[in-house]
């Protein structure tokens, strides 16, 4: 039995334009023509269309579908297995993003709402890159430290933020002064600054043992967005991020030595 393009479009739930596109692409050319030259689809064409729509629903491109249909026995199983892996990975990624979104909603609901003027007053030039925050949350979402940090940050009042950002500004001035004066990163002054930074994180966000502080310092060097949370771009110097990392690692080693002696 033969069917017109309009009938097939109605059967399959697609548009006539889609069927014409499949024809032009060589993916589904109707097997017959009417006396007036109109396309007529046979039962075998409908079976092929069903396959096309099945693969489209799974996210295959038209080129991929054409490759599969050329030799279905050789290609279909391999392609389907690959698609299952990709879909599984995508499901996992979307689940992680959903969890991050839920936590962000919690922060917004319980956090401090600031006007733009208040935000500048509290945070100054320090900016929070949403892409970095999202990546960090995905990376460390199972870490107790990350969960504690999110919860404590959400609980801070406006006055808490003013106080902690004020402390951070004083520490930053001291760090820049030590760096500009040529103080060695493994010297007492630089290591004391690193210890103040560690205690600041410990006091305001999450318990920060030396090993965690090392990882934070490594991230500061590896990702400019992380360093911008510590020192705004307008005040950064070449080599400053590496200097801070060296001081943090030196201080962590010093603390380890002191603990072993004690």
């Amino acid at each position: 039995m033969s069917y017109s393009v309009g009938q097939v479009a109605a059967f399959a739930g697609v548009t006539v334009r889609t069927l014409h596109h499949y024809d032009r692409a060589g993916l589904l050319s109707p097997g017959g023509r009417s006396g007036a030259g109109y396309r007529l689809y046979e039962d075998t064409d409908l079976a092929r269309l069903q396959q096309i729509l099945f693969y489209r629903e799974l996210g295959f491109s038209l080129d991929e579908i054409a490759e599969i249909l050329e030799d279905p026995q050789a290609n279909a199983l391999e392609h389907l297995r690959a698609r299952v892996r990709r879909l599984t990975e995508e499901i996992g990624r979307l689940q992680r993003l959903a969890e991050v979104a839920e936590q962000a909603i919690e922060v917004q609901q319980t956090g401090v709402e600031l006007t733009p003027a208040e935000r500048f007053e509290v945070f100054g030039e320090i900016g929070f890159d949403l892409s970095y925050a999202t990546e960090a949350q995905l990376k460390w979402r199972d870490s107790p430290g990350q969960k504690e940090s999110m919860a404590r940050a959400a609980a801070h009042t406006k006055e808490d933020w003013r106080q902690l950002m004020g402390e951070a500004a004083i520490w930053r001035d001291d760090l820049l002064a030590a760096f500009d004066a040529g103080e060695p990163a493994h010297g007492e002054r630089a290591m004391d600054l690193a210890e103040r930074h560690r205690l600041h994180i410990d006091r305001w966000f999450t318990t920060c043992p030396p090993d965690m502080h090392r990882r934070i310092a490594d991230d500061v060097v590896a990702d400019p967005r992380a360093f911008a949370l510590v020192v705004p771009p307008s005040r950064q110097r070449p080599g400053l991020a590496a200097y801070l990392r060296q001081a943090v690692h030196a201080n962590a080693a010093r603390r380890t030595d002191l603990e072993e002696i004690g």
Side-chain angles (χ1 to χ4, degrees):
M1 186 171 181
S2 299
Y3 305 91
S4 69
V5 65
Q7 288 174 314
V8 173
F11 293 158
V14 298
T15 65
V16 171
R17 178 179 293 180
T18 295
L19 293 175
H20 288 170
H21 178 62
Y22 290 169
D23 188 5
R24 288 193 298 272
L27 192 60
L28 178 65
S29 298
R33 293 277 176 173
S34 69
Y38 294 110
R39 296 175 177 85
L40 291 177
Y41 292 82
E42 309 295 338
D43 289 338
T44 54
D45 298 325
L46 296 183
R48 184 178 176 90
L49 176 60
Q50 187 176 34
Q51 288 181 293
I52 293 169
L53 297 179
F54 168 73
Y55 289 120
R56 285 293 286 166
E57 185 67 20
L58 290 177
F60 286 96
S61 69
L62 295 186
D63 288 340
E64 289 173 322
I65 295 171
E67 182 182 344
I68 294 171
L69 295 182
E70 281 180 10
D71 190 358
Q73 295 302 318
N75 293 303
L77 188 58
E78 178 184 343
H79 280 281
L80 285 171
R81 284 174 176 162
R83 182 62 57 180
V84 167
R85 289 194 296 270
R86 289 173 57 183
L87 289 173
T88 301
E89 291 171 359
E90 181 66 9
I91 288 169
R93 187 185 72 84
L94 292 174
Q95 286 177 334
R96 293 192 296 272
L97 285 174
E99 291 172 8
V100 170
E102 288 174 358
Q103 291 178 344
I105 289 170
E106 291 176 5
V107 170
Q108 289 295 323
Q109 288 175 336
T110 60
V112 180
E113 293 186 4
L114 301 175
T115 66
E118 290 173 327
R119 184 172 295 277
F120 183 78
E121 174 192 347
V122 172
F123 296 107
E125 293 183 74
I126 297 294
F128 295 84
D129 189 309
L130 183 58
S131 65
Y132 175 74
T134 301
E135 288 175 18
Q137 180 63 10
L138 286 172
K139 182 178 180 180
W140 304 110
R141 66 192 185 95
D142 294 326
S143 164
Q146 177 72 7
K147 294 177 181 178
E148 180 187 3
S149 181
M150 290 283 290
R152 290 177 63 182
H156 289 336
T157 65
K158 188 188 303 182
E159 290 307 315
D160 289 334
W161 283 110
R162 283 199 177 98
Q163 184 178 344
L164 76 88
M165 293 303 293
E167 290 178 7
I170 293 171
W171 172 85
R172 187 163 49 248
D173 288 342
D174 292 344
L175 173 70
L176 291 169
F179 179 79
D180 291 342
E183 293 283 347
H186 58 274
E188 290 292 327
R189 183 176 176 184
M191 287 192 290
D192 288 346
L193 283 165
E195 179 65 6
R196 281 170 56 190
H197 184 257
R198 186 187 72 81
L199 292 175
H200 178 83
I201 296 170
D202 194 278
R203 181 166 57 255
W204 290 106
F205 297 102
T206 184
T207 303
C208 186
D211 282 347
M212 177 183 287
H213 202 207
R214 286 191 188 100
R215 291 195 296 272
I216 292 172
D218 291 344
D219 203 29
V220 163
V221 172
D223 194 326
R225 298 172 300 177
F227 188 41
L229 295 176
V230 181
V231 180
S234 65
R235 304 197 66 191
Q236 292 176 10
R237 279 61 156 172
L240 181 60
Y243 178 84
L244 176 58
R245 178 184 180 276
Q246 292 169 14
V248 167
H249 278 255
N251 179 62
R254 177 178 65 170
R255 286 188 54 80
T256 301
D257 292 341
L258 291 174
E259 290 172 3
E260 290 177 352
I261 294 173

